[in-house]
Amino acid sequence: MTHPFRADGSLRHLITLEGLPRPIIERLLDQAQSLVRPLGERPPVSDLLAGCTVANLFTEPSTRTRVSFELAAKRLGADVVNLEVQLSSRVKGESMLDTVYTLESLHVDALVIRDAETGVPGTVAAHVAPHVSILSAGESHVAHPTQGLLDALTVRQHKPRFEALSIAIVGDIRHSRVARSAFHVFRTLGVPDLRIVAPPALMPEPTEFSGCARHTTLEAGVRDADVVMMLRIQKERMAEVELPDADRYYASYGLTPERLALARPDAIVMHPQPMNRGIEIASEVADGPRSVIRDQVRNGVAVRMAVLREVLAWRGAP
Ligand code: NCD
């Protein structure tokens, strides 16, 4: 996909990390890093986006992503509206595009979209007025670009030399938009050893994740890794018959302290959440000293502030 830029060089939409040039990724990560504060300190606020309006249009459940987009917009001085799908007119048969045109008429400048259907953010981006930006907050199993950026920021804070890293992404890769965005961002940032680890049924098609080593055992997949990224089984994208048995899954693919001991001694453990403790990850690992899972959440607000700034700051003062 080609990424649209404005006349001043800023990015207009963020729909995927695939093909996003490295300098743009680094600009967003640097900007986000400058906005991260330790817990307990007051986060930075500004009125940079005063007069701008951000709408969150989520048709799939979300806790962290929606709240952090909202906080990010508010901390930059923008107004925020949240549309709950069950309250919106979509249930009355109004098409997504009609909802979008309504929001456009209400002077919304950025639409943050999460949808279970493939292609929705791109379709909306192709139809909105030129001043409106579309940000994907999760598109089916395809892309979750701000999650990929916050994952890259979290890794960079602990392991700044991407070109020296071994990263293992473990779990339901086949149905995971988090894995796909992680793959694109780590590939662009030059990570030489990217591995995907999954039971055969949850492996992606051979045409995807090109260049990644594929492992069907967790022990081989995490050996000497610097980063172990665990993923949830995406039940919502699977038929009942395909669902693996939880206990059997944990027995083979759960990240326990013993299995983590196979990775590097200073390896970090990540998870985008929601976590299923006792299915893909043991509580001792999720809450243990190597876990950076809470850092990921904190970094999410900074990354979304950086992205909103990137796509909206060109509008200047009201
Ligand atoms: C993820 C998602 O929605 O893709 N959650 C998130 O945004 N942090 C991962 C998941 O649902 O498993």
Side-chain angles (χ1 to χ4, degrees), residues 64-65 114 144 147 177-178 232 234 236-237 272-274:
R64 282 151 293 274
T65 306
R114 170 170 285 196
H144 194 348
Q147 180 73 41
R177 55 194 175 206
V178 175
R232 181 177 71 86
Q234 309 283 310
E236 65 278 29
R237 296 184 201 123
Q273 304 198 66

Side-chain angles (χ1 to χ4, degrees), residues 176-200:
S176 175
R177 55 194 175 206
V178 175
R180 286 178 177 78
S181 284
F183 164 68
H184 291 304
V185 76
F186 291 135
R187 175 51 55 79
T188 303
L189 291 170
V191 172
D193 179 12
L194 260 178
R195 315 163 185 180
I196 54 175
V197 186

